[in-house]
């Protein structure tokens, strides 16, 4: 099947295309150089054409997402829609934690075609994959949590990188996981004893390993296994005033490790996630202020790191993270309902609703910090725009964030009329007049995430050979002025005029018209030296018998769980 | 004053959902137009006239309209949802969610109501002459922000967890209440003239509850202050002799008040 999207204004940063009028040709689900005259024609004159967007970090499937849905019926009430039989669209509900089908529809409507589930407890991988399978349209992957895993903590405590690599290689395959996710290393384990770790040189109770050793060891394992993505790091001390020092120390730890992916074009060794939550100065909430300038300066001066933002959107949302102690702190702060989960020898999590009120001082500064990070990091090849959905706000607010970044006037209106004065007093946001271009938005939502995930051979760009994931927005860059027409920008990005997924027209005029598509599941396939692998597996099996609530053989996610398996190869023997 | 009379035809097996039965929707419409007003019958949308005969004199504004439902509508939900003005009189029973999120005006039900009557009420008056079910004047399921204005009067008995998360307004129950009236309540007034099964004011952080009948099992989280005569609550004099408690101290900084009639309640006062 051949298709051609004609006369659109194309932004494709990975190929250096900045607003050129050109045609995009599609054949058999891939972008090609040209098509025959028989191709079905789609007119995109006066419209923006970008690659399908790539979500680098969100919580869209699995145990804690589902806990969020269950404990918040009042959130479901805020956004609900019925079945649409003509397009096979299923009913759904949920504003900050939408149900599975609606998650797929809402992303697709905005032109997103790939999304990462950023925290998968290995023991609950089956559930996570079941939900990912139920999210239509989106290609996806899930990052297993390693930062408080007992095996990893033991191996790295002993400095045994090879065994750790063998274990991680096995676990990624067993859980059909994609990348090494580290959340509050050692801290969630300490929470099992009612505590936390502070800074990166504190040890977890009953283990002989520090967060710094965990970060360094796993970064080495990551490159040894030649994984597509770098380590994906949620630093210690999230959300604590004064935590920026821990953040920068953590980023410094893996510096110097040689980047070595087997595929893709990644050139960084660590991805710092939702860095807004990690860029706080001060000593308490009273003298809390932004340290975004210091963190942005670090990112500007170092080339081994990418970050995503975790932009606060000023909504009522549902926070959820594997950082169990942090969620308890949040619950103590706002007094709202709290759920805590412990996942045996692997990890834990917490869930708490949260209202980021623009009129309250702390959320106003958090908003400003996210904006500062996006605007002060000079090169959008180093940042991905996220809300850590739904933690700082639901992913459906991305268009609003794009509009804030593209319009100084919009930000000024926020600062003057909507936000608590602390936003101006406790950050430098009021002094920044930079505005993102369409090209830079495309970088931070397409090019950069695809590249850092190691998927840029076929995602995040529109060159020949790429997957034919294309978003078309009904905004004419020749006539629209994002500085002043910011509401039009927000609306334009909210509902794409056309979205193609694997070459199929999936969204038309902002509505999902092809809801039956299933996405691919990316996972990391690696092989390590056999003797070391067998020895590690023998030990793992012994520990399973001793400690786990399920049998070793029942642990791996079988191939039947994955409808469209897409292994990405790392090191192979 | 305009009166619009809805006479129920055959009672449906599948529930009707009729948030459009309220003066706000009928205002400015002719009788023929009112017949066309949409209601939900299961997952189908139907016309009001499919299930009701409509007659009477139309009115221009909600405030001048009185809707009379002349018969039993015990399988019709959401009557008067979000109404802001005017009046509704139901000469029979109603189903769930009568007066849901109501902001003004008055609803009178001559029969019984089932659960969630006056959920999230903001203002106005809801009077039920018979019994009501669970969750009278409560919050939406899961929400911690409930009723914050208006007056609900139930002449009969009520079920579980009425005034749950109540943050304002007033509820008066002339009959008995089942478990946990005023659970999580933070403000407002709840007066129960009959008996309570158990756990009055569990985890309440503010507001006032008065129980004139016999209170069943009471909670340990309340502090006893002694006996008070002829109390005044929200500007209203309530004659009688009451034990006074504050709590529920299971909640940090809680400052709710519970008055319990001395008569028949010796078991809840400390020695």
């Amino acid at each position: 099947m051949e298709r051609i999207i004609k006369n659109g204004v194309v932004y494709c940063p990975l190929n250096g295309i900045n607003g050129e009028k050109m045609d995009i040709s599609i054949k058999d689900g891939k972008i090609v150089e040209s098509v025959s005259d028989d191709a079905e024609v789609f007119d995109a004159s006066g419209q923006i054409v970008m690659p399908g967007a790539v979500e680098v970090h969100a919580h869209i499937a699995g145990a804690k997402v589902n806990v969020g849905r269950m404990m918040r019926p009042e959130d479901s009430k805020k956004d609900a829609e019925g079945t649409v039989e003509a397009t096979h669209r299923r009913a759904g509900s949920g504003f900050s934690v939408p149900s599975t089908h609606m998650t797929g529809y809402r992303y697709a409507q905005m032109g997103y075609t790939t999304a990462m589930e950023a925290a998968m407890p290995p023991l609950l991988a089956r559930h996570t994959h079941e939900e990912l399978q139920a999210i239509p349209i989106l290609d996806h992957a899930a990052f297993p949590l390693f930062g408080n895993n007992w095996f990893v903590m033991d191996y790295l405590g002993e400095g045994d990188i090879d065994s750790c690599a063998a274990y991680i290689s096995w676990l990624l395959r067993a859980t059909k996981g994609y990348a090494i996710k580290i959340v509050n290393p050692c801290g969630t384990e300490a929470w099992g004893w009612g505590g936390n770790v502070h800074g990166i040189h504190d040890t977890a109770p009953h283990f002989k390993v520090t967060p710094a050793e965990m970060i360094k060891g796993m970064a080495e394992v990551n490159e040894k296994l030649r994984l597509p993505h770098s380590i994906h790091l949620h630093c210690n001390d999230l959300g604590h005033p004064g935590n920026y020092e821990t953040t920068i120390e953590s980023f410094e730890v893996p510096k110097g490790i040689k980047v070595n992916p087997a595929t893709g074009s990644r050139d960084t060794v660590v991805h710092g996630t939702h860095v807004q939550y990690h860029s706080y100065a001060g000593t308490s909430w009273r003298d809390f202020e932004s340290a975004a300038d210091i963190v942005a300066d670090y990112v500007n001066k170092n080339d081994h790191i990418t970050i995503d933002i975790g932009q606060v959107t000023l909504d009522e949302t549902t926070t959820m993270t594997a950082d169990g102690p942090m969620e308890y702190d949040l619950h103590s702060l706002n007094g709202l309902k709290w759920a805590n989960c412990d996942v045996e020898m692997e990890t834990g999590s917490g869930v708490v609703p949260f209202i980021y009120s623009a009129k309250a001082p702390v959320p106003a500064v958090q908003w400003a910090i996210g904006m500062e990070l996006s605007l002060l990091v000079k090169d959008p090849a180093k940042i991905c725009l996220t809300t850590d959905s739904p933690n700082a706000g639901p992913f459906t607010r991305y268009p609003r964030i794009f509009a804030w970044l593209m319009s100084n006037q919009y930000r000024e209106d926020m600062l003057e009329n909507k936000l608590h004065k602390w936003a101006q007093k406790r950050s430098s946001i009021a002094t920044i007049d930079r505005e993102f271009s369409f090209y830079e938005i495309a970088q931070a939502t397409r090019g950069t995430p695809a590249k850092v995930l190691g998927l840029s051979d076929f995602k995040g760009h529109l060159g020949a050979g790429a997957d034919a994931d294309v978003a078309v927005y009904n905004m004419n860059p020749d006539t629209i002025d994002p500085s002043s027409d910011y509401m039009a920008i927000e609306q334009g990005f909210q509902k794409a005029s056309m979205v193609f997924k694997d070459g199929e027209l999936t969204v038309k005029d902002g509505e999902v018209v092809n809801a039956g598509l299933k996405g691919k599941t990316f996972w990391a396939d690696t092989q390590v030296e056999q003797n070391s692998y067998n020895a590690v597996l023998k030990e793992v099996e012994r520990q399973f018998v001793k400690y786990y609530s399920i049998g070793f053989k029942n642990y791996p996610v079988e191939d039947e769980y994955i409808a469209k398996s897409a292994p990405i190869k790392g090191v192979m023997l | 004053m305009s009166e619009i009379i809805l006479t129920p035809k055959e009672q449906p097996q599948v529930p009707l959902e009729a948030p459009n039965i309220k003066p706000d929707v009928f205002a400015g419409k002719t009788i023929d137009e009112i017949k066309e007003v949409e209601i939900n019958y299961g997952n189908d949308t139907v016309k009001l006239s499919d299930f009701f005969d409509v007659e009477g004199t139309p009115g221009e504004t909600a405030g001048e309209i009185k809707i009379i439902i002349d018969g039993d509508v015990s399988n019709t939900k959401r009557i008067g949802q979000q109404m802001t003005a005017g009046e509704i009189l139901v000469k029979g029973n109603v189903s769930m969610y009568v007066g849901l999120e109501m902001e003004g005006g008055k609803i009178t039900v001559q029969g019984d109501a089932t659960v969630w009557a006056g959920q999230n009420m903001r203002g106005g008056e809801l009077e039920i002459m018979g019994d009501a079910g669970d969750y009278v004047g409560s919050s939406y399921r899961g929400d911690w922000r409930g009723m914050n204005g208006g007056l609900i009067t139930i002449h009969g008995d009520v079920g579980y967890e009425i005034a749950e998360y109540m943050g304002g307004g007033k509820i008066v129950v002339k009959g008995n209440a089942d478990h946990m009236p005023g659970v999580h309540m933070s403000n407002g007034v709840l007066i129960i003239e009959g008996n309570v099964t158990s756990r009055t004011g569990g985890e309440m952080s503010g507001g006032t509850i008065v129980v004139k009948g016999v209170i069943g099992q009471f909670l340990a989280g309340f502090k006893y202050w002694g006996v008070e005569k002829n109390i005044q609550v929200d500007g209203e004099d309530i004659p009688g002799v009451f034990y006074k408690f504050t709590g529920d101290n299971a909640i940090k900084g809680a400052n709710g008040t519970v008055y319990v009639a001395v008569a028949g309640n010796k078991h809840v006062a400390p020695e």
Side-chain angles (χ1 to χ4, degrees), chain B residues 173-209:
Chain B
V173 178
K174 305 277 186 186
N176 304 322
D178 216 324
H179 301 283
M180 289 200 276
V183 60
H184 293 295
M185 178 173 174
S186 62
N187 207 344
V189 176
L190 169 60
I191 295 174
I192 299 167
E193 299 193 355
N195 307 327
V196 175
T197 310
S198 78
R199 289 173 252 169
T200 305
E203 300 203 352
M204 76 188 291
S205 59
T208 305
I209 303 178

Side-chain angles (χ1 to χ4, degrees), chain A residues 73-74 77 316 336-337, chain B residues 101 140-145:
Chain A
E74 79 281 7
K77 192 183 166 204
E316 178 182 320
L336 299 182
K337 50 193 169 183
Chain B
E101 293 173 7
Y140 184 79
R141 182 62 102 197
D143 210 332
W144 57 92
R145 296 153 292 200

Side-chain angles (χ1 to χ4, degrees), chain A residues 119-320:
Chain A
M120 172 167 73
L123 190 63
L124 304 171
R126 281 169 200 271
H127 176 185
T128 310
H129 281 295
E130 279 171 343
E131 283 199 26
L132 286 172
Q133 295 301 313
I135 296 175
I137 305 162
L138 302 178
D139 289 342
H140 52 256
F143 306 162
L145 294 152
F146 288 102
N148 294 277
N149 180 297
W150 288 12
F151 294 102
V152 173
M153 293 172 82
D154 275 337
Y155 290 132
L156 294 180
E158 290 157 13
D160 186 353
I161 297 288
D162 286 342
S163 296
C164 189
Y167 174 74
I168 290 179
S169 168
W170 169 75
L171 195 128
L172 285 170
R173 188 176 309 110
T175 62
K176 295 285 185 287
Y178 186 73
I180 297 177
K181 175 71 185 297
I182 307 171
V183 172
N184 189 3
C186 304
T188 302
E189 174 54 29
W191 174 238
W193 303 92
N196 198 351
V197 292
H198 304 283
I200 62 169
H201 302 296
D202 208 357
T203 52
H206 310 291
F207 285 91
K208 291 178 198 134
V209 68
T210 64
E213 288 160 349
M214 292 286 281
I215 296 166
K216 182 144 198 287
M218 278 190 275
E220 283 172 12
V221 167
N222 198 84
E223 302 313 320
K224 201 177 167 66
L225 293 177
R226 307 192 66 191
L227 296 178
H229 188 23
S230 62
I231 56 165
H232 196 101
L233 178 63
H234 159 145
C235 294
N236 299 102
D237 294 334
L238 179 144
H240 295 165
N243 64 8
Y244 78 93
E245 287 175 341
T246 297
T247 306
I248 287 174
E249 272 185 80
S250 306
F251 290 169
E252 195 67 9
V253 168
K255 193 174 174 179
I257 293 173
K258 191 172 166 290
V259 187
N260 194 25
T263 58
S265 50
R266 169 172 66 86
D267 52 13
T268 49
V269 288
V270 57
H271 178 81
T273 192
H274 41 67
V275 175
Q276 175 272 126
Y277 286 118
H278 301 278
S279 303
Y280 298 168
T283 57
S284 73
W285 292 117
R286 285 173 192 283
D287 64 358
F288 165 67
E289 59 180 356
S290 169
D293 51 341
I294 304 170
V295 176
D297 187 51
Y298 180 87
V299 175
N300 283 331
K301 285 180 178 151
N302 286 280
D303 290 329
H304 69 289
I305 182 166
T306 52
I307 62 169
D308 69 77
I309 304 299
Q311 175 65 44
V312 163
T313 63
L314 306 168
D315 286 292
E316 178 182 320
T317 190
T318 312
T319 65
M320 51 181 65

Side-chain angles (χ1 to χ4, degrees), chain B residues 93-235:
Chain B
N93 303 328
V94 294
S95 186
M96 294 187 245
Y97 300 109
V98 63
L100 169 73
E101 293 173 7
M102 143 178 211
E103 293 170 25
K106 178 163 188 193
I107 301 177
T108 308
V109 178
Q110 290 187 341
D112 300 333
T114 62
V115 297
W116 305 110
Q119 184 192 71
N120 260 326
M121 192 154 153
R122 302 281 172 246
E125 201 181 335
L126 171 62
E127 186 166 20
I128 293 165
M129 308 310 287
D131 299 334
D134 306 328
Y135 297 107
V136 173
S138 71
S139 68
Y140 184 79
R141 182 62 102 197
D143 210 332
W144 57 92
R145 296 153 292 200
M147 168 172 174
N148 65 10
L151 169 66
I152 302 179
T153 308
I154 313 285
H155 290 266
D157 298 337
V158 295
Y160 291 174
E161 296 189 43
I162 65 158
E164 177 224 26
Y165 280 112
M166 182 175 182
K170 186 172 181 179
I171 300 179
V172 180
V173 178
K174 305 277 186 186
N176 304 322
D178 216 324
H179 301 283
M180 289 200 276
V183 60
H184 293 295
M185 178 173 174
S186 62
N187 207 344
V189 176
L190 169 60
I191 295 174
I192 299 167
E193 299 193 355
N195 307 327
V196 175
T197 310
S198 78
R199 289 173 252 169
T200 305
E203 300 203 352
M204 76 188 291
S205 59
T208 305
I209 303 178
V210 180
V211 181
K212 296 184 183 174
V214 175
I215 195 165
Q217 182 199 36
F218 196 43
L219 290 162
F222 285 85
K223 185 179 176 191
Y224 177 62
W225 289 91
V227 173
E228 281 187 24
K229 260 186 186 172
N230 300 334
I231 55 173
Q232 198 183 45
V233 175
D234 192 31

